Amino acid sequence: MPCRMPSVLSFANIDLHLVKVLHTVITERSVSRAALRLGSTQPQISAQLKRLRALTGDMLLVRAGTGLVPTEAALGLLGPAERLLQEADTLFGPARVGRDFEPAQAEGQVNIAATDYLNPSFLPDLVTRLRTLAPGLKVALHPLSADSDYRRKLAAGEVDLVVGNWLQPPEELHLGRLMTDEVVCLVGADHPAVKNPRQWTAARYLDSDHIAPTPMHPGARGVIDDFLALQGLERRIAVRCSHFSLAPLMVAQTRLVLTTGRQFCERQLDRFPVRIVRCPVAFPAMAYYQLWHDRTHASSAQRWLREQVRDTARTLTGKAPAARGADAIRRSHEGVQA
């Protein structure tokens, strides 16, 4: 006679493996075959079946001739158990954490926030690489500006990755160093720094009219002005520009000075009447990083994305992509030297 169903089901007594045992025993209709399939022993499966009988209030398997057959109640439990196992695989299985990530079959969207004042080819080359290797992925590029709280967006999952340059990257984020670049000045072809390079001193540099990008968040000054402030120096910023790609044309038509990485400046020489001159203040090399949050650190899909960002940067700096993984450990400064 079937056992009565318990009045209160204690979920503390149920684990996912027990559900798997339930599903396997019912489908195999044999304790010994279930043990073999689960890599367990017959006594262990028998003990777990006893727990299941107590939890469900039903015998689950009963004798029929020389074998076992599932009860009507057991057959009713088969579907829910199968659905529960499928949902658990969705939550915790390889596809969820990205262990079996296959770029060619990948779908969804990646969100990358990046500045536009590193090498101008970086983002186009990265998009080309992503479209080639993972054509099913959508790519959303987000700007880094004073209105963009990239730390909050990384924590909330609104952005997967942030690419930019910082004198001191945020402490709470993971980072991978992408490239470094010499700091130079871009000026118009008729600028005094071009005509009289010996007179292009630190004092004249600081006293010139400068164009600078809009800070990435309120209160920020940017890597150039942060470094100057550490030296007790200050330049005169006449123009702030949120569209950095427009700055070279403004430089070409004025006496403004743009201080940034050499790679960006070299791409402008064939487009505008501008020249690259040395920076009379000894700035350290400009370092570019990719930053990501703990929430995506272990994801293989996100690790693959970081590898593509890293390899794109290395291609631009003339370095062959490394065979090792992309991730730098937290606060690591290993990466490409330009």
Side-chain angles (χ1 to χ4, degrees):
M1 182 174 179
C3 304
R4 281 176 36 182
M5 289 290 290
S7 57
V8 179
L9 183 63
S10 175
F11 285 96
N13 296 325
I14 303 175
D15 58 44
L16 197 59
H17 181 69
L18 205 57
V19 177
K20 192 168 186 179
V21 169
L22 172 66
H23 183 270
T24 306
V25 167
I26 295 173
T27 53
E28 291 292 338
R29 304 188 180 194
S30 166
V31 173
S32 58
R33 286 199 300 270
L36 185 64
R37 182 172 163 186
L38 293 172
S40 185
T41 64
Q42 190 167 338
Q44 287 176 325
I45 297 298
S46 295
Q48 290 163 333
L49 182 58
K50 184 177 180 180
R51 285 183 61 195
L52 286 166
R53 285 168 172 165
L55 286 168
T56 61
D58 189 82
M59 291 300 293
L60 300 178
L61 289 177
V62 293
R63 289 284 176 187
T66 58
L68 296 172
V69 294
T71 65
E72 185 175 329
L75 293 175
L77 293 172
L78 189 61
E82 187 171 333
R83 289 193 296 273
L84 182 58
L85 291 172
Q86 289 174 346
E87 293 296 335
D89 186 65
T90 300
L91 282 172
F92 308 114
R96 177 66 182 93
V97 299
R99 287 194 291 266
D100 290 340
F101 179 71
E102 293 291 342
Q105 281 76 49
E107 296 181 347
Q109 178 170 299
V110 294
N111 294 275
I112 303 169
T115 61
D116 61 348
Y117 46 93
L118 58 157
N119 190 309
S121 296
F122 173 75
L123 289 176
D125 286 1
L126 175 61
V127 169
T128 299
R129 179 186 289 264
L130 295 177
R131 295 298 301 153
T132 300
L133 298 177
L137 275 182
K138 296 178 181 178
V139 181
L141 301 177
H142 303 263
L144 281 178
S145 66
D147 300 325
S148 173
D149 185 351
Y150 65 88
R151 293 182 181 183
R152 182 195 64 78
K153 289 184 177 181
L154 283 171
E158 296 174 21
V159 168
D160 299 308
L161 202 60
V162 172
V163 179
N165 65 318
W166 292 264
L167 200 60
Q168 291 292 333
E171 288 287 338
E172 76 274 16
L173 298 174
H174 293 275
L175 65 84
R177 190 162 169 172
L178 296 175
M179 65 180 81
T180 56
D181 201 4
E182 177 191 4
V183 174
V184 297
C185 296
L186 190 72
V187 297
D190 61 348
H191 194 278
V194 175
K195 295 181 177 180
N196 301 294
R198 291 185 179 181
Q199 296 179 20
W200 184 234
T201 62
R204 288 183 181 273
Y205 168 82
L206 295 172
D207 197 45
S208 297
D209 288 334
H210 293 260
I211 181 171
T214 302
M216 286 189 292
H217 56 274
R221 289 175 295 199
V223 294
I224 299 299
D225 296 289
D226 278 343
F227 179 79
L228 288 174
L230 290 174
Q231 316 307 311
L233 302 174
E234 185 178 4
R235 60 177 177 164
R236 187 168 65 219
I237 298 176
V239 178
R240 286 282 189 185
C241 183
S242 60
H243 302 285
F244 199 74
S245 59
L246 301 179
L249 179 57
M250 299 179 196
V251 165
Q253 297 175 343
T254 66
R255 291 293 178 88
L256 292 169
V257 178
L258 175 64
T259 306
T260 190
R262 178 177 287 276
Q263 287 192 50
F264 178 86
C265 294
E266 286 182 342
R267 298 291 181 130
Q268 315 305 322
L269 298 180
D270 293 332
R271 302 177 62 211
F272 307 108
V274 292
R275 298 289 184 272
I276 296 174
V277 297
R278 67 177 180 83
C279 189
V281 175
F283 287 98
M286 191 173 284
Y288 293 93
Y289 305 91
Q290 56 178 330
L291 307 179
W292 64 95
H293 196 270
D294 256 340
R295 70 194 308 279
T296 60
H297 185 64
S299 166
S300 288
Q302 291 294 318
R303 184 178 297 115
W304 175 85
L305 175 62
R306 296 192 289 266
E307 287 173 356
Q308 306 320 306
V309 170
R310 178 208 64 187
D311 290 350
T312 300
R314 291 185 172 183
T315 300
L316 291 173
T317 57
K319 305 282 186 179
R324 63 181 178 84
D327 289 357
I329 61 172
R330 184 186 297 275
R331 309 315 302 160
S332 168
H333 286 265
E334 295 179 359
V336 178
Q337 303 295 320

